[in-house]
Amino acid sequence: MKVLLDLQYLNVATTGIKTYMMELAHAALAYPHPDIEWIFSHDPETQSADQTFKGPQSKLQRLNYHLDYFRWKEFQLPDLVKKHNPDVLICLDFVSPVASLSCRRLTVIHDAFFWQMPQNYPKWWRTYFLSLIKKGLKEDTIVITTTEYSKTSLERYLGKHHPISVIYQAPKTMENSMDSTFLEENGLGSQKFFLHIGTFDKRKNLPLFVRAFDQFLQKTKADFKLVLAGGPGQSAQMNDFPIVEKLIEELGLQEKILLTGYVNDDRVKTLYQNAFAYVFPSENEGFGIPIIEAMGIGIPVIHSDQPALMEVAGDAGLAFKTGNQQDLMEKMVILILDNDKINSMIRQGLEQSKKFSAQKFIEGFQNVILKK
């Protein structure tokens, strides 16, 4: 059975979807199935390294990207289907071609944010993108999503016209070396610190985390820092980075909170390996890959009780009430006072992380692909 994997979106993907796409491509090669022949639309490493549409862009550059994306989905990808005649087409970025195709489709819709949080997206763009998503859900399509929470959410907005399967994804492979000089350069050599890695999207609740950290310092007088690693939100409406910067200044925490910007994989691993704990205060997630990355490296995780994070963390994380600054602060205090709790969370986290392997990830797709 021939399977065509659409990897075009890697030329702009920078966060969770990039990890999803790269790890699936790697797993397809690492764990071949005798009945499946994989065809990649692009070389994943080359496409991921393409800088044409990454970084700050003018309105003209953004328009050119949208035209390029539309041209790919509606013309070039259907032509590729005709060329290779696959049995299955997998689109990993919400959108499948509107055109009728001669093959089955697996379309990955990672979450329901576009429906749940309309205030975070430009109105015209959201309308256009939702139209592309819905028009591509045709013929013999199976929707793939990341958690049972996302499945329930999508059924609310898409109905049950197409079956939805849950496949848990794999965390980023971290076989790269660490960058210890990065710690020294930023005053983290022997410093205990809480960590968050990800964009400054509004749904991440990072201003809440900053306020809770300030409250934690006042209550405990502990010598801790907070590291917020990642780039700005994906649009002006979604971006909390300026708000966080202003809040840090207002609270006088310039020496206590480090904003690293985007960090490469070497530095991501270095931060995970040296953090006291990972904190994930998000109000809405489809999966929450940093939870598994942190647990797999062996640090305790505090997370909001948002359903997808509860599903992924199981009983291995320490949950606080979503949006509750006081509760988050109290959970941070618990960790510095209870070594037994930390050790127990680390053990449980290592076990929980084993449920999310590359082999299980690709086997989930193989099972759906081969199911008659």
Side-chain angles (χ1 to χ4, degrees):
M1 183 173 290
K2 291 196 292 185
V3 179
L4 175 59
L5 187 62
D6 175 13
L7 296 174
Q8 190 265 357
Y9 187 71
L10 277 172
N11 67 340
V12 293
T14 58
T15 53
I17 295 181
K18 177 183 177 181
T19 297
Y20 192 103
M21 297 177 77
M22 293 295 288
E23 293 307 316
L24 182 63
H26 292 160
L29 298 176
Y31 301 99
H33 191 287
D35 297 326
I36 296 175
E37 175 190 350
W38 289 93
I39 303 166
F40 291 176
S41 67
H42 300 75
D43 175 78
E45 308 299 335
T46 303
Q47 187 69 358
S48 177
D50 185 351
Q51 297 296 312
T52 305
F53 297 111
K54 288 190 175 85
Q57 299 168 18
S58 66
K59 289 183 178 180
L60 179 59
Q61 287 173 311
R62 290 195 296 271
L63 176 61
N64 284 337
Y65 165 70
H66 289 304
L67 291 173
D68 181 75
Y69 184 82
F70 182 83
R71 182 166 55 248
W72 167 257
K73 285 291 183 180
E74 306 308 336
F75 297 99
Q76 293 170 297
L77 184 55
D79 284 346
L80 206 59
V81 170
K82 291 178 182 178
K83 175 182 177 180
H84 293 287
N85 193 28
D87 300 283
V88 179
L89 168 67
I90 303 180
C91 294
L92 303 175
D93 56 337
F94 294 84
V95 175
S96 180
V98 174
S100 294
L101 302 175
S102 59
C103 59
R104 294 163 53 208
R105 311 181 193 211
L106 304 185
T107 301
V108 180
I109 302 181
H110 298 259
D111 48 60
F113 296 163
F114 299 116
W115 293 273
Q116 293 171 326
M117 310 177 81
Q119 70 279 8
N120 285 355
Y121 305 94
K123 184 177 180 180
W124 70 269
W125 182 87
R126 176 178 173 272
T127 301
Y128 163 73
F129 198 68
L130 287 179
S131 175
L132 284 183
I133 292 174
K134 290 182 178 180
K135 288 180 178 178
L137 296 177
K138 60 192 305 181
E139 301 165 342
D140 190 5
T141 296
I142 296 175
V143 173
I144 305 296
T145 195
T146 54
T147 55
E148 293 295 338
Y149 164 73
S150 288
K151 177 180 178 179
T152 301
S153 300
L154 289 172
E155 286 177 342
R156 185 176 304 124
Y157 297 102
L158 296 176
K160 298 184 179 181
H161 305 294
H162 298 281
I164 301 177
S165 294
V166 175
I167 299 176
Y168 288 140
Q169 67 190 85
K172 183 183 294 185
T173 304
M174 292 199 185
E175 297 176 349
N176 46 296
S177 60
M178 294 197 300
D179 183 358
S180 56
T181 60
F182 174 69
L183 296 178
E184 299 297 335
E185 290 169 356
N186 288 281
L188 299 173
S190 58
Q191 175 75 57
K192 290 184 177 180
F193 61 92
F194 291 99
L195 174 66
H196 180 274
I197 299 175
T199 61
F200 282 70
D201 287 354
K202 288 188 179 298
R203 63 184 173 83
K204 300 292 186 179
N205 265 350
L206 294 179
L208 176 93
F209 188 12
V210 170
R211 293 188 185 96
F213 178 66
D214 180 56
Q215 194 177 355
F216 164 84
L217 293 178
Q218 293 182 40
K219 182 178 180 66
T220 65
K221 309 301 180 185
D223 184 19
F224 269 74
K225 286 190 175 183
L226 169 58
V227 177
L228 301 177
Q234 297 180 357
S235 72
Q237 289 169 270
M238 296 169 63
N239 184 24
D240 262 352
F241 188 81
I243 294 172
V244 169
E245 279 191 311
K246 183 178 180 181
L247 184 58
I248 291 171
E249 184 177 352
E250 289 175 352
L251 296 173
L253 295 175
Q254 295 92 329
E255 300 301 316
K256 288 292 185 179
I257 298 181
L258 174 64
L259 304 177
T260 69
Y262 175 79
V263 288
N264 62 29
D265 288 351
D266 288 357
R267 292 180 174 181
V268 166
K269 184 176 181 180
T270 301
L271 289 170
Y272 275 133
Q273 289 278 26
N274 290 274
F276 173 77
Y278 189 88
V279 180
F280 208 151
S282 183
E283 67 179 16
N284 199 1
E285 291 292 330
F287 187 83
I289 199 70
I291 284 182
I292 301 306
E293 292 175 344
M295 287 181 175
I297 281 181
I299 60 173
V301 174
I302 300 172
H303 59 86
S304 64
D305 63 358
Q306 189 271 338
L309 301 186
M310 296 292 289
E311 183 177 340
V312 171
D315 296 326
L318 185 59
F320 73 95
K321 186 175 180 180
T322 302
N324 190 314
Q325 175 184 322
Q326 179 72 19
D327 195 19
L328 172 53
M329 183 275 293
E330 290 174 358
K331 295 304 190 292
M332 295 165 72
V333 172
I334 286 174
L335 284 193
I336 72 166
L337 297 178
D338 192 343
N339 282 331
D340 289 340
K341 178 69 173 176
I342 289 176
N343 293 332
S344 173
M345 288 177 65
I346 290 173
R347 288 194 300 271
Q348 288 180 288
L350 289 169
E351 286 302 310
Q352 181 71 4
S353 68
K354 294 176 183 177
K355 299 177 182 179
F356 303 88
S357 67
Q359 185 170 358
K360 291 179 180 178
F361 187 26
I362 195 62
E363 285 176 351
F365 272 90
Q366 290 167 349
N367 291 338
V368 175
I369 289 166
L370 296 172
K371 187 176 180 179
K372 301 297 183 182

